[in-house]
Amino acid sequence: MTQTTAADIAALAERGVTILGCGKMGGAMLRGWLAAGLPPEAATVLDPAPADWLRELAARGLRLNPERVEDAAVCVLAVKPQVMAKAAPQVAHLAGRGALFMSIAAGTPISFFESLFGADAPIVRAMPNTPAAVGRGVTALIGNAAATEAHMRLAEALAGAVGAVVRLEAESQMDAVTAISGSGPAYVFHMIEAMAAAGRALDLPDELAMTLARQTVIGAAELARRSDASAEQLRRDVTSPGGTTAAALEVLMAPDGLTALMTRAAAAAARRSRELAG
């Protein structure tokens, strides 16, 4: 995992970082940078409806909705895709000042930003996910032709403040990334819902069923994180031949079971990602 270093933070602090749109994902990334040592006065946020915590940070030096952003080492584009065309021009002048543009807008291709900022502007498209809010996200990155290795390392350092980072070989992989890791937390949360519902069907009280389901997923995820064993091996370690887990896995691993269902679900998400990209 790429880690954000003190040198990375110092480089950002010198010219600053601007965030266009600071909702859940943009906010998660800003919190990560601040936790890594970025001083509030080095951050600029452009958001028409800033959250209370951003207003509190403004009292400590964060630049909130200035009339104009004069400079930035990085400009993070974090508004919703449907309003990007309207919002992005307010930072377009930063392209002439050598800023790196880093987009976390789902379904918005690099070519869209090149049409706004020019093909010579360094642009990195990123797909983080919501566990970034607790420092456990994973972000996939791909840069345009103008993004140098130094730009990519900077993008990795930024994303590394909120979790793991991977580089893609081609932008065409982004739809699959969106389907697996971008949308993936929702699948896990639904698994918790489904396990709790199964517990209720077995006459467990609602609260107990949800507690067991939630804590089981949390514990299994932490075990997977800490272990060097593969997911397959971890599954085998829980499964005694002829036991209760084996009985359940016969259902989940049937030809029409969980893998087939997840494959169809991810395919639907990837298809929708391609549709959003136009």
Side-chain angles (χ1 to χ4, degrees):
M1 184 175 76
T2 302
Q3 297 289 339
T4 304
T5 67
D8 297 322
I9 293 299
L12 278 179
E14 183 177 350
R15 292 180 57 203
V17 56
T18 293
I19 305 177
L20 180 63
C22 202
K24 291 182 180 179
M25 190 57 64
M29 298 184 80
L30 177 57
R31 289 178 192 274
W33 301 332
L34 294 171
L38 183 74
E41 60 269 21
T44 299
V45 171
L46 301 175
D47 194 306
D52 289 342
W53 70 275
L54 289 171
R55 297 182 185 278
E56 292 172 4
L57 277 175
R60 294 166 43 199
L62 176 111
R63 289 169 290 180
L64 184 59
N65 292 325
E67 290 186 8
R68 179 178 170 87
V69 181
E70 295 300 333
D71 194 19
V74 181
C75 181
V76 179
L77 306 167
V79 297
K80 295 183 182 300
Q82 56 266 37
V83 299
M84 185 65 75
K86 181 179 180 180
Q90 64 187 298
V91 294
H93 64 282
L94 294 176
R97 298 178 181 269
L100 167 64
F101 291 95
M102 183 174 172
S103 167
I104 61 172
T108 308
I110 288 173
S111 59
F112 171 83
F113 297 106
E114 289 181 332
S115 71
L116 292 178
F117 307 135
D120 292 336
I123 300 165
V124 171
R125 184 178 172 189
M127 174 51 65
N129 61 7
T130 54
V134 293
R136 295 296 184 194
V138 58
T139 302
L141 303 174
I142 185 72
N144 69 345
T148 65
E149 179 60 24
H151 290 128
M152 294 303 297
R153 288 198 302 268
L154 177 57
E156 285 181 330
L158 288 168
V162 292
V165 184
V166 297
R167 286 197 201 187
L168 303 183
E169 296 178 356
E171 189 177 10
S172 59
Q173 295 176 310
M174 195 62 81
D175 295 321
V177 169
T178 300
I180 300 302
S181 63
S183 300
Y187 313 157
V188 177
F189 300 145
H190 186 51
M191 174 69 77
I192 293 173
E193 292 178 304
M195 289 175 65
R200 291 193 297 272
L202 293 170
D203 295 327
L204 290 177
D206 289 357
E207 184 175 351
L208 176 58
M210 179 55 71
T211 296
L212 291 174
R214 181 188 293 262
Q215 290 304 129
T216 297
V217 170
I218 291 171
E222 183 64 15
L223 181 59
R225 186 182 73 86
R226 295 190 184 191
S227 177
D228 292 330
S230 66
E232 179 184 4
Q233 184 57 52
L234 291 172
R235 169 177 57 78
R236 291 181 183 277
D237 290 344
V238 184
T239 309
S240 299
T244 58
T245 306
L249 288 175
E250 284 185 11
V251 177
L252 290 175
M253 297 178 72
D256 61 346
L258 183 58
T259 298
L261 181 62
M262 187 61 67
T263 299
R264 295 200 303 275
R271 183 168 58 250
R272 182 56 179 157
S273 179
R274 290 190 294 271
E275 291 170 354
L276 290 173

